[in-house]
Amino acid sequence: MNKAGFSQTHHEGLRIEVDALITHGLVVTMDDSSRILEDGAVAVNNGKIMAVGDTAALVSKYQGRKVLDAHRKLIMPGLINAHTHAPMNIFRGFADDLPLNEWLYDYIFPLETEFVNRDNVKLGTRLAIAEMLRSGTTTFNDMYYHIDEMAGIIDELGPRAILTDALVDLPAHNGKSLQEALQQVEEIIQTWKGHPRIQVGVAAHAPYTAKPKVYQAAKVLADKYGVLLHTHLSETRWEFDLILEKYGFTPVQHLENIGVLAPNLVIAHGIHLTREDMDLLARRDVGVAHNPQCNMKLANGTAPIPELLRLGVRIGIGTDGVASNNDLDLFDEIRSAALAQKLINSDPTVMDAKTVVEAITIGGARMLGLDNKIGSLEAGKQADIILVDLKQPHAWPNFNAYSLITYSLRGSDVDTVMVDGKILLDNRRLTTLNENDLYEEVHALSDRICSWQQQRTKSKPHPKA
Ligand SMILES: [Zn+2]
């Protein structure tokens, strides 16, 4: 090409047209070389990232049909919540300051029996998605009931999710027999197969609510469709002792014995682990979803995350449901993850800022088997991108981007969110959801929950009454 031809390719009219060009931001890529660009840009087209680079270079090559000026904003991959129960958002603050068993069996299970239905699952999911998008979460790994309804809401509102139906020893919400429950899950898997943002996986709730045959059937189904298998494991000392007494093995070894430990398994919590358990999780390449705030709130203990990381275990960080957190803010969650581990290990160097940021981006994506699609800002990946507003006092000065994200920023600093290139939060306005209507509906439901609780506690006083 001659000199004139070269300059022509850089002429305004000859630039490559893309759907969106995000310019002049502080780009934290989370790619293999941990690239950070001071004046960076991201080009987005057809739902995917076309290029990531310096603003000057990208502006000369690409022309955005939409240009987002990210001056004094941080541009990073959408955050990944490794373990939650989105519909439980309608139960926020219902019962606090109780031990897990009492919280679960005296409050949450009766509440769920009364109020978990299709309409309330949809309402809770909408509330959770509003909260997640507003705080930068674009992908979540969920376990609950009526996941077909959840999938419909997610399809409509735009985030990315892995949905798993919590199989338990029956009868439960999801069917009259194990056979029926499995058939229902399989139908939902088939219905949503191939959806660009929704993966339907399989879950067994926990070894104290699901017998080996439930786990084994769940594994067969997950393997058949190549989807995620999700469970709660080694969450409390009570569970650890119960499983040891019942089966003669620790919860992790129990799942090994029944053939469930595998790379497609994600265990939530993993707090009470022996040395052998940790080695087993590493050897079987099981993913661990760490939920520090829930673990602290229910006083369940501190998961040995630094040790698991040393062993090469894939770690993500989740909020768990808001009934035990009580929010879905992952910025808040990683701060807790870092601080709690430093305290418990008496070592300020463990769980450093970069490590926890990795756990809610590329590390979380690896744990969920989605790292070929999301988790970092790289050409070819899906355009799940968030912009965080740095024009506020707690964001200055900025010496280290990972430190800023972990120790200073908050979910409410997020001002723009994109999933598959579609803007779902635009300058702090949700584009697919009417928040005022949502709050009125949640308020009406909370009145009904209060009335029910008042009736129920006529015989048994509520600790807060
Ligand atoms: Zn959970």
Side-chain angles (χ1 to χ4, degrees):
M1 187 182 289
N2 63 27
K3 214 174 171 183
F6 179 79
S7 68
Q8 256 198 346
T9 61
H10 286 70
H11 184 268
E12 175 89 6
L14 295 176
R15 289 186 296 171
I16 300 164
E17 212 171 275
V18 292
D19 290 336
L21 193 57
I22 312 170
T23 59
H24 298 298
L26 169 64
V27 180
V28 179
T29 63
M30 305 311 294
D31 67 9
D32 285 344
S33 50
S34 305
R35 245 185 346 150
I36 292 181
L37 307 162
E38 293 290 338
D39 182 6
V42 183
V44 172
N45 202 39
N46 286 328
K48 291 192 174 193
I49 297 170
M50 281 277 283
V52 181
D54 290 325
T55 296
L58 261 64
V59 163
S60 73
K61 195 170 172 192
Y62 298 100
Q63 185 169 17
R65 277 182 280 274
K66 187 176 176 64
V67 175
L68 286 83
D69 182 2
H71 179 66
R72 300 289 179 238
K73 289 181 186 177
L74 185 145
I75 305 172
M76 68 181 290
L79 309 184
I80 299 168
N81 190 333
H83 174 73
T84 189
H85 311 279
M88 292 186 85
N89 259 51
I90 53 171
F91 301 143
R92 187 193 327 262
F94 176 73
D96 299 302
D97 311 325
L98 295 165
L100 182 122
N101 269 11
E102 197 181 326
W103 174 80
L104 201 58
Y105 285 96
D106 293 353
Y107 291 87
I108 297 302
F109 284 165
L111 181 70
E112 288 185 321
T113 304
E114 188 69 21
F115 289 98
V116 172
N117 57 44
R118 291 186 166 270
D119 284 344
N120 289 344
V121 161
K122 287 197 280 188
L123 182 60
T125 304
R126 282 164 61 214
L127 182 60
I129 290 172
E131 188 180 353
M132 285 193 262
L133 292 176
R134 279 198 165 284
S135 53
T137 295
T138 52
T139 296
F140 62 103
N141 178 34
D142 204 278
M143 184 201 293
Y144 212 62
Y145 309 106
H146 302 308
I147 59 171
D148 50 338
E149 298 288 3
M150 294 180 70
I153 297 290
I154 290 157
D155 178 50
E156 181 193 331
L157 301 185
R160 188 182 307 282
I162 296 180
L163 302 176
T164 60
D165 198 306
L167 294 171
V168 292
D169 297 330
L170 297 161
H173 306 278
N174 43 17
K176 290 191 179 75
S177 67
L178 177 60
Q179 207 53 38
E180 206 176 333
L182 286 164
Q183 195 184 333
Q184 203 177 355
V185 172
E186 184 160 10
E187 279 167 18
I188 302 171
I189 292 175
Q190 286 168 345
T191 302
W192 294 94
K193 206 165 172 259
H195 190 284
R197 291 178 283 105
I198 299 169
Q199 182 195 114
V200 175
V202 191
H205 176 261
Y208 56 93
T209 50
K211 290 191 177 75
K213 67 173 183 184
V214 175
Y215 271 99
Q216 285 162 330
K219 167 136 181 80
V220 168
L221 191 56
D223 289 351
K224 179 175 173 185
Y225 289 95
V227 295
L228 199 81
L229 182 60
H230 191 182
T231 193
H232 293 104
L233 200 72
S234 292
E235 182 176 5
T236 60
R237 173 57 58 185
W238 168 82
E239 174 200 333
F240 185 93
D241 292 342
L242 180 89
I243 300 304
L244 193 61
E245 192 187 315
K246 196 168 171 185
Y247 299 104
F249 293 94
T250 69
V252 170
Q253 288 155 27
H254 167 56
L255 290 200
E256 165 73 358
N257 294 341
I258 61 173
V260 172
L261 298 188
N264 68 342
L265 178 69
V266 166
I267 65 159
H269 303 293
I271 295 170
H272 300 279
L273 301 174
T274 63
R275 180 77 247 171
E276 201 182 338
D277 289 344
M278 288 191 262
D279 289 339
L280 207 45
L281 291 174
R283 204 158 63 239
R284 295 281 182 240
D285 195 16
V286 173
V288 175
H290 177 42
N291 308 273
Q293 291 193 344
C294 169
N295 297 345
M296 288 193 281
K297 188 161 184 259
L298 294 165
N300 286 333
T302 313
I305 301 299
E307 189 54 28
L308 290 171
L309 282 167
R310 268 193 291 274
L311 291 168
V313 174
R314 289 171 296 130
I315 302 285
I317 290 179
T319 55
D320 215 332
V322 300
S324 59
N325 185 298
N326 295 3
D327 64 63
L328 299 174
D329 182 348
L330 283 174
F331 287 91
D332 197 28
E333 201 71 34
I334 58 170
R335 190 169 313 147
S336 294
L339 299 181
Q341 292 292 345
K342 291 171 196 305
L343 180 67
I344 201 81
N345 290 289
S346 301
D347 180 357
T349 68
V350 298
M351 292 292 267
D352 60 88
K354 190 178 174 205
T355 298
V356 293
V357 174
E358 272 171 1
I360 53 166
T361 54
I362 188 65
R366 272 190 208 111
M367 196 204 66
L368 297 174
L370 295 175
D371 50 312
N372 59 339
K373 284 177 87 170
I374 57 167
S376 58
L377 301 181
E378 290 177 83
K381 284 200 175 179
Q382 297 306 121
D384 291 11
I385 303 168
I386 65 172
L387 272 55
V388 190
D389 183 11
L390 302 180
K391 293 187 290 298
Q392 30 211 347
H394 62 265
W396 294 97
N398 171 21
F399 298 112
N400 177 306
Y402 302 115
S403 161
L404 183 69
I405 295 165
T406 305
Y407 299 118
S408 305
L409 295 180
R410 303 160 190 165
S412 54
D413 299 333
V414 173
D415 81 355
T416 300
V417 172
M418 190 183 265
V419 176
D420 271 0
K422 187 178 173 191
I423 295 178
L424 304 180
L425 184 75
D426 188 3
N427 279 310
R428 292 194 161 85
R429 189 184 61 83
L430 291 167
T431 62
T432 55
L433 188 90
N434 182 325
E435 279 177 276
N436 289 332
D437 290 353
L438 175 63
Y439 301 146
E440 292 308 314
E441 284 179 62
V442 175
H443 181 71
L445 175 64
S446 66
D447 279 349
R448 295 203 297 279
I449 293 176
C450 279
S451 305
W452 168 80
Q453 176 65 359
Q454 274 163 8
Q455 288 296 320
R456 197 171 81 100
T457 50
K458 274 181 181 164
S459 54
K460 187 183 175 199
H462 188 280
K464 296 287 161 208

